[in-house]
């Protein structure tokens, strides 16, 4: 049984009886959940699982028995707690490896199950309506909360609620026995099986009148009402080509769709349109699911009775619709239905479907054949088993189109009316624009072999009647260009000391002042005089040499753009205007000095001759703590090794550089230390001592290591300059150590001599030795 069958089982009386019998206690005791022990609940859960009942079925059965929602919630809470405690205990006793193996196995099983279900759903999807009973969004479950139907027939297991109200109050719950009777107090059994609820109500009230005088009489003061309580369960069998045939226990209010939902509907070879319901060996109803799918009709979806049989026969005739229909699928066809009916099943043609002729692929006893169905035959054409109908698209072309493009008010496509001409098409397009170029209009036309050709027309003569009007043909396209479309775009440009330099559209009578205005006016440093206009040379060559390719005009304008220009000069297309900057106009240029001066900060350059010494003078001079030897001069973010001591000693020294915009001078405080780094045993910083030499400072750092190359030691001064050890033969000159210096002792890198180099050096040594010996002998 699948999940849907279990859901239906959950509301049956049989499930209720199993629920009580599995518990092994009386109903009165079961209603008191607090009195149940954990062992009783665990034993009940174990037996319920062995019987195939889910938790939801147990809760539904409890509700059907009359348990309150609070008791059900409390019972479910205790079940959940016991299950979680058991799961936690299992997880505690299971190793990580085992848990991973179990999880992996579960994932693999779930993946295989999902793959099987998905592939089946995909296969069934191509058949119209076949997945109706597998759709999770549609639930065909019996509604047990509706009023009891008047034609409901009572049977064994049904429960009746009998209420007597008035000056006497009495309530009975009577269950229909296997003999078909109900028992009320001292009254003899009343037979109700096979009666409708209305018939049973009348019979029971008549019997109660023997005990309650005046019952249901006007003014009697006593009233009786009989309703259906818990309903019985019935068994229905599904045979034939069902997805899951079998016997199903369902509520007695269930209908055919409820059972079809429980069994998963027809299989892929089962019929949706001839589902038969047998009762007592006879067919009492034939259900066509298409009636429900297409019209919402459930007239044959009858209430089932115990031992009913639902038979799903093999499907007889199926046809396929592919192509331009709204729902292309495989459809089941009944005898007498035409292709028009099948087309309605598919929702009809799409908007672009070619409906004039339908192509049919039909199987014969030996091979396939193609049949063309005319549009007039659709309503009468009878489908056959295996037919495949192919509905194509209409052609992407027009049967009556002419087009006009260009300088008209409404360009586009128009209907090719009979004998329509060029003038009439222009009239349809609301006429020509004022800038239309009428002397040459192009008509593009297809020849009989579909090759395109161009026909040039003089539209002016056609409109004036000087030339014959042209009659248009299918797919003709008329191109009418505007005058501006037939020439280069006319522009002028302006650059230089202007707010919005760029290219602007040319207009007649435009002056330089007009263009300056369009470009947002002059910048602050712009010169309104000596404005240059560069002009292309075309026909006007007066006063222009043969070597000259551009003519230059110079003009002065009013800076406020309200006065007259120095001469009357109208701009021409493609002129370029250049606005110069005032000769002595410059933006302020700043330099910066920081550190040990009295007034550090940025300073503006007065002229182009100011030097580093001038900047120090502007800043108020040096403080006593200033370390000139470590002063850094930076330009463009890079340190330039400048000796500030020499700058202050001699203004004309080469170190006294002329300042540029952005230069920065940093004069630090005296460090009075020297740092030793590199190949020494203890790289450190020590106090500066004026009488100490380089090797003395190296000794203060623990001395040089075995890998030190002391003869290559160098000193890095605070101003960015470097000085290295120099030597000739065995005479060494070590760099001077200044306050704030850093001594760096590099590593000695071993050089591997090649055999050729060894031979060359040996030869050189021998030669030099020989020469020296010869010289000494001559002395």
């Amino acid at each position: 049984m699948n999940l849907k069958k279990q859901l239906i089982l959950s509301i049956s009386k049989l499930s209720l009886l199993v629920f009580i019998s599995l518990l092994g206690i009386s109903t009165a005791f079961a209603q008191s959940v607090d009195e149940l022990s954990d062992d009783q609940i665990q034993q009940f859960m174990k037996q319920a699982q062995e019987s195939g009942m889910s938790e939801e079925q147990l809760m539904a059965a409890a509700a059907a028995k009359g348990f309150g929602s609070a008791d059900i919630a409390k019972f479910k809470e205790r079940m959940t707690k016991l299950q979680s405690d058991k799961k936690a205990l299992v997880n505690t006793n299971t190793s990580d490896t085992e848990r991973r193996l179990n999880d992996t196995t579960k994932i693999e099983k779930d993946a295989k199950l999902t793959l099987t279900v998905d592939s089946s759903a995909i296969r069934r999807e191509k058949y119209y309506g076949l997945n109706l009973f597998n759709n999770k969004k549609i639930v065909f479950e019996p509604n047990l909360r509706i009023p009891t139907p008047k034609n409901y027939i009572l049977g064994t297991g049904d429960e009746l609620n009998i209420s007597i109200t008035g000056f006497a109050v009495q309530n009975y719950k009577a269950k229909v026995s296997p003999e078909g009777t109900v028992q009320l107090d001292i009254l003899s059994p009343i037979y109700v099986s096979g009666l409708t609820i209305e018939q049973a109500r009348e019979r029971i009230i008549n019997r109660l009148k023997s005990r309650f005088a005046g019952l249901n009489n006007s003014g009697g003061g006593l009233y009786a009402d009989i309703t259906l309580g818990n309903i019985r369960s019935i068994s229905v069998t599904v045979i034939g080509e069902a997805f899951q045939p079998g016997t199903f226990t369902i509520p007695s209010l269930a209908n055919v769709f409820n059972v079809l939902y429980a069994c998963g509907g027809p299989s892929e070879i089962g019929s949706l349109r001839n589902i038969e319901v047998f009762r007592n060996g006879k067919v009492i109803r034939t259900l066509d699911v298409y009636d429900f799918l297409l019209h919402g009709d459930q007239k044959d979806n009858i209430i089932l009775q115990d031992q009913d049989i639902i038979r799903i026969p093999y499907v007889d005739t199926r046809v396929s619709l592919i192509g331009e229909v709204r729902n292309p699928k495989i459809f089941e066809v009944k005898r007498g239905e035409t292709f028009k009916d099948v087309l309605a099943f598919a929702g009809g043609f799409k908007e672009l479907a070619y409906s004039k002729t339908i192509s049919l692929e039909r199987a014969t006893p030996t091979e396939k054949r193609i049949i063309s169905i005319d549009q007039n035959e659709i309503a009468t054409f009878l489908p056959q088993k295996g037919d495949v109908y192919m509905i194509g698209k209409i052609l992407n072309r027009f049967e009556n189109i002419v087009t006009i493009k260009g300088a008209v008010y409404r360009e586009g496509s128009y209907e090719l009316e009979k004998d329509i001409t060029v003038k009439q098409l222009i009239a349809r397009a609301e006429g020509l624009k004022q800038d239309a170029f009428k002397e040459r209009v192009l008509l593009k036309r297809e020849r009989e072999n579909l090759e395109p050709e161009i026909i040039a027309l003089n539209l002016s003569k056609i409109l004036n009647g000087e030339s014959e009007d042209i009659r248009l043909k299918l797919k003709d396209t008329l191109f009418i260009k505007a005058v501006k479309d037939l020439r280069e775009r006319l522009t002028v440009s302006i650059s230089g000391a202007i707010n919005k330099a760029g290219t602007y559209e040319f207009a007649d009578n435009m002056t330089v002042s007009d263009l300056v205005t369009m470009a947002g006016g002059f910048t602050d440093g712009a010169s309104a005089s000596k404005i240059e206009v560069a002009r292309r040379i075309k026909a006007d060559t007066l006063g222009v040499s043969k070597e000259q390719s551009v003519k230059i005009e110079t003009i002065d304008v009013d800076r406020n753009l309200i006065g007259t220009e120095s001469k009357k000069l109208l701009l021409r297309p493609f002129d370029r205007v250049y606005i110069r900057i005032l000769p002595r106009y410059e933006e302020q240029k700043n330099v910066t000095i920081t550190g040990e001066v009295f007034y550090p900060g940025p300073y503006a350059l007065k002229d182009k001759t100011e030097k580093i010494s001038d900047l120090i003078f502007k800043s108020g001079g040096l403080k006593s703590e200033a370390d000139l030897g470590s002063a850094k001069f930076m330009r463009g973010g890079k340190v330039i090794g400048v000796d500030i001591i020499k700058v202050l000693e001699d203004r004309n020294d080469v170190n006294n550089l002329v300042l540029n915009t952005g230069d920065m001078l940093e004069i630090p405080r005296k460090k009075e230390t020297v740092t030793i780094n590199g190949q020494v045993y203890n790289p450190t910083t020590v106090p500066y001592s004026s009488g100490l030499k380089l090797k003395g400072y190296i000794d203060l750092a623990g001395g040089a290591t075995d890998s030190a190359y002391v003869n290559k030691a160098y000193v890095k001064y605070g101003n960015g300059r470097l000085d290295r050890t120099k030597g000739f033969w065995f005479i060494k000159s070590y760099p001077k150590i200044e306050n704030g210096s850093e001594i760096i002792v590099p590593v000695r890198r071993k050089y591997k001599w090649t055999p050729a180099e060894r031979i060359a050096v040996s030869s050189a040594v021998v030669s030099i030795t020989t020469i020296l010996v010869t010289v000494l002998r001559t002395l």
Side-chain angles (χ1 to χ4, degrees):
M1 289 300 168
N2 60 7
L3 179 60
K4 287 178 276 190
K5 179 182 175 182
Q6 293 177 353
L7 291 173
I8 295 177
L9 277 170
S10 67
I11 52 176
S12 63
K13 177 186 175 185
L14 180 60
S15 298
L16 177 62
L17 295 175
V18 173
F19 172 75
I20 298 301
S21 63
L22 287 175
L23 189 60
I25 53 179
S26 67
T27 301
F29 182 72
Q31 288 175 344
S32 179
V33 178
D34 293 332
E35 298 177 17
L36 297 177
S37 65
D38 290 346
D39 292 338
Q40 286 178 310
I41 292 179
Q42 288 178 340
Q43 182 65 23
F44 162 67
M45 289 166 54
K46 179 180 178 182
Q47 293 177 348
Q49 290 174 355
E50 291 175 353
S51 67
M53 297 177 67
S54 66
E55 181 181 319
E56 289 77 10
Q57 289 174 319
L58 299 179
M59 297 304 104
K65 182 62 182 174
F67 292 150
S69 58
D71 289 334
I72 293 175
K74 191 179 297 183
F75 188 80
K76 185 175 181 180
E77 181 181 355
R78 290 188 62 182
M79 285 178 61
T80 303
K81 184 176 184 303
L82 289 172
Q83 288 174 342
S84 61
D85 291 344
K86 182 179 179 181
K87 184 176 180 181
L89 181 61
V90 171
N91 288 339
T92 302
N93 296 329
T94 304
S95 67
D96 291 340
T97 302
E98 290 174 335
R99 281 199 296 272
R100 282 196 288 268
L101 289 173
N102 292 337
D103 292 342
T104 303
T105 304
K106 182 178 184 302
I107 291 172
E108 291 177 350
K109 289 181 178 179
D110 291 346
K112 291 178 180 177
L113 177 61
T114 303
L115 182 61
T116 303
V117 173
D118 289 348
S119 60
S120 174
I122 292 172
R123 289 198 309 273
R124 292 167 64 87
E125 184 66 31
K126 63 184 179 181
Y127 300 101
Y128 178 71
L130 203 55
N131 269 342
L132 172 66
F133 300 104
N134 300 98
N135 190 340
K136 295 180 180 180
K137 296 182 180 180
I138 302 177
V139 180
F140 291 101
E141 293 183 356
N143 187 358
L144 305 182
R145 294 181 178 85
I146 61 174
T148 305
K150 292 184 179 181
N151 59 350
Y152 178 79
I153 298 177
L154 295 175
T156 301
D158 283 335
E159 184 181 69
L160 297 177
N161 295 324
I162 304 170
S163 299
I164 299 175
T165 58
F167 59 79
V169 178
Q170 186 69 43
N171 294 310
Y172 299 97
K173 286 185 179 293
K175 187 176 296 184
V176 180
S177 68
E179 290 76 22
T181 62
V182 292
Q183 182 72 47
L184 301 178
D185 286 348
I186 60 174
L187 296 177
S188 59
I190 306 171
Y191 191 82
V192 295
S193 182
L195 301 179
T196 65
I197 189 69
E198 291 296 322
Q199 293 170 338
R201 178 184 290 110
E202 183 179 355
R203 178 173 294 187
I204 292 172
I205 290 176
N206 287 335
R207 293 289 298 274
L208 287 173
K209 286 182 178 180
S210 62
R211 183 171 180 184
F212 297 96
L215 185 65
N216 279 9
N217 290 338
S218 178
L222 274 179
Y223 304 96
D225 186 35
I226 300 174
T227 59
L228 184 65
N230 293 326
I231 60 175
R232 70 185 185 279
S233 296
I234 62 175
S235 293
V236 175
T237 301
V238 180
I239 60 175
E241 294 306 315
F243 189 73
Q244 284 187 333
T247 299
F248 297 84
T249 301
I250 59 175
S252 54
L253 287 176
N255 54 35
V256 179
F257 273 174
N258 300 144
V259 178
L260 289 176
Y261 178 71
C263 74
S267 68
E268 294 179 20
I269 57 174
S271 173
L272 277 168
R273 308 196 61 189
N274 293 294
I275 300 174
E276 299 171 327
V277 180
F278 286 82
R279 184 172 294 165
N280 299 324
K282 296 181 180 180
V283 177
I284 63 168
R285 196 65 59 95
T286 300
L287 178 68
D288 186 347
V289 178
Y290 277 27
D291 289 340
F292 172 74
L293 292 173
L294 297 171
H295 313 295
D297 185 359
Q298 298 192 62
K299 65 179 183 299
D300 295 318
N301 185 25
I302 60 174
I303 300 295
L304 298 173
Q305 294 186 14
D306 193 31
Q307 303 306 316
D308 280 353
I309 295 175
I310 298 176
R311 175 180 173 270
I312 302 177
Y314 290 106
V315 65
D316 183 19
T317 301
R318 273 182 178 156
V319 298
S320 301
L321 262 69
I322 58 178
E324 295 302 303
V325 290
R326 288 191 172 90
N327 190 15
K329 275 187 170 52
I330 299 175
F331 299 91
E332 183 178 349
V333 182
K334 297 172 77 172
R335 182 172 299 179
E337 291 180 334
T338 66
F339 178 68
K340 181 179 180 181
D341 299 316
V342 180
L343 194 60
F345 298 161
F349 292 116
K350 285 185 177 179
E351 290 76 9
L352 299 179
Y354 179 68
S355 58
K356 185 177 181 181
T357 303
I358 309 300
S359 181
L360 164 63
E361 185 181 289
R362 175 170 287 178
T364 69
T366 57
E367 57 189 358
K368 292 183 178 181
R369 62 180 299 196
I370 293 293
I371 300 175
S372 295
I373 305 173
D374 190 79
Q375 189 174 16
N376 299 326
E377 298 177 300
I378 291 177
T380 57
F381 189 85
L382 296 177
Q384 292 185 14
K385 186 183 299 185
D387 281 356
V388 178
Y389 298 89
M390 294 164 285
I391 294 88
K393 270 189 177 182
I394 62 174
L395 298 176
N396 188 21
R397 69 179 187 185
F398 295 91
E399 61 183 16
N400 61 337
I401 183 174
V402 288
T403 305
I404 184 169
K405 295 182 179 181
V408 292
Y409 285 102
R410 291 191 178 275
E411 58 180 336
S413 299
Y414 290 86
E415 179 186 358
L416 177 62
E417 300 175 359
K418 185 178 179 181
D419 298 332
I420 187 172
T421 64
V422 170
K423 289 175 63 175
Q424 292 172 340
L425 179 59
I426 293 173
R428 298 280 191 281
E430 302 292 342
L432 298 171
K433 291 183 178 179
Q434 288 84 348
D435 61 345
F437 182 69
K438 295 176 284 188
E439 279 65 32
R440 180 172 288 272
V441 173
L442 302 180
L443 177 63
K444 184 180 179 181
R445 174 170 289 173
E446 281 189 1
R447 295 175 178 170
E448 292 183 359
N449 62 357
L450 301 182
E451 291 287 339
E453 69 171 334
I454 294 293
I455 302 173
L457 307 176
N458 190 324
L459 189 57
S460 294
K461 291 184 177 181
I462 293 176
L463 296 176
N464 295 332
E466 300 176 16
S467 295
E468 183 181 358
D469 199 358
I470 303 298
R471 185 177 298 171
L472 297 176
K473 294 183 179 181
L474 178 64
K475 296 184 181 180
D476 278 356
T477 301
L478 190 64
F479 295 95
I480 304 175
K481 291 291 184 178
V483 174
K484 64 181 179 180
D485 296 332
L486 299 176
R487 68 186 183 191
E488 186 179 357
R489 179 171 170 259
L490 303 182
T491 61
V492 289
S493 62
I494 186 169
S495 60
I498 198 74
N499 286 319
K500 294 181 179 179
T503 301
Y504 294 86
E505 186 176 0
F506 172 77
D508 288 338
N509 298 319
M510 179 183 285
T511 65
V512 173
S513 296
D514 297 332
L515 182 57
V516 171
T517 302
M518 293 175 66
F522 294 111
T523 61
D524 182 58
S527 172
S529 60
K530 302 292 184 182
I531 297 176
E532 284 188 356
V533 179
R535 179 166 295 169
R536 296 177 182 179
I537 297 176
K538 294 174 70 177
D540 184 11
T541 59
L542 182 64
V544 178
S545 65
K546 293 182 179 180
E547 294 79 13
Q548 191 172 347
S549 59
V550 175
K551 187 175 182 180
I552 304 295
E553 299 279 359
T554 304
I555 188 174
D556 299 339
V557 301
D558 181 20
R559 184 174 182 82
N560 296 320
L561 302 175
I562 57 177
T564 59
E565 298 177 353
S566 62
K567 61 181 177 180
K568 186 172 179 60
L569 178 67
L570 295 179
L571 295 177
R572 294 180 183 176
F574 311 112
D575 280 354
R576 293 188 179 183
V577 179
Y578 302 93
I579 310 296
R580 308 301 179 190
I581 299 177
L582 292 169
R584 301 188 63 181
Y585 181 87
E586 282 188 5
E587 293 182 2
Q588 295 86 341
K589 296 179 180 180
N590 291 336
V591 292
T592 304
I593 185 170
T594 60
E596 298 303 310
V597 293
F598 286 99
Y599 300 103
Y603 288 87
L605 293 177
K606 181 179 65 174
D607 54 44
K608 297 179 180 180
T609 63
E610 286 194 81
K611 296 186 176 184
I612 295 176
S613 58
D614 298 321
L615 178 60
I616 296 174
F617 178 77
K618 282 184 177 182
S619 65
L622 302 170
K623 294 182 179 179
S624 59
E625 299 87 0
D627 184 2
L628 295 180
S630 299
K632 291 182 181 179
F633 182 76
M634 287 172 282
R635 176 172 290 171
K638 296 180 180 180
V639 176
I640 298 177
V642 173
D643 191 339
I644 301 299
I645 296 176
K646 293 183 179 180
V647 168
L648 295 179
E649 289 176 352
D650 184 2
R651 190 178 187 281
N652 296 320
D653 189 87
V654 294
N655 287 276
N656 195 14
L657 301 178
V658 175
L659 296 173
N660 289 345
T661 302
D663 285 351
M664 179 178 291
L665 179 60
E666 178 184 347
I667 301 177
R669 181 189 293 270
K670 290 181 181 179
K671 291 183 178 180
E672 297 182 348
T673 59
V674 175
T675 301
I676 305 98
N677 283 321
Q679 300 303 308
V680 293
Y681 283 104
N682 182 29
T684 184
T685 299
V686 299
Y688 170 72
S689 176
S690 59
L692 203 59
K693 305 296 182 182
L694 183 140
K695 284 192 174 182
Y697 282 106
I698 293 176
D699 291 339
L700 292 177
T705 64
D706 294 339
S707 59
Y709 201 174
V710 177
N711 290 338
K712 294 293 183 180
Y714 60 94
V715 176
K716 185 177 181 181
Y717 299 106
N719 60 4
R721 289 189 171 188
L722 294 175
D723 194 6
R724 63 182 179 83
T725 302
K726 304 177 184 66
F728 177 76
W729 286 89
F730 302 102
I731 302 173
K732 300 296 180 184
S733 174
Y734 295 102
K736 181 182 178 182
I737 308 301
E738 295 181 357
N739 188 10
S741 300
E742 180 183 4
I743 300 172
I744 300 170
V745 181
V747 65
R748 180 186 295 274
R749 302 193 180 275
K750 294 182 179 180
Y751 183 78
K752 292 185 178 181
W753 296 84
T754 64
E757 289 173 333
R758 290 194 186 100
I759 293 171
V761 171
S762 299
S763 300
V765 171
V766 171
S767 299
I768 294 171
T769 303
T770 302
I771 293 170
L772 290 175
V773 170
T774 303
V775 170
L776 291 174
R777 284 180 179 178
T778 57
L779 291 177

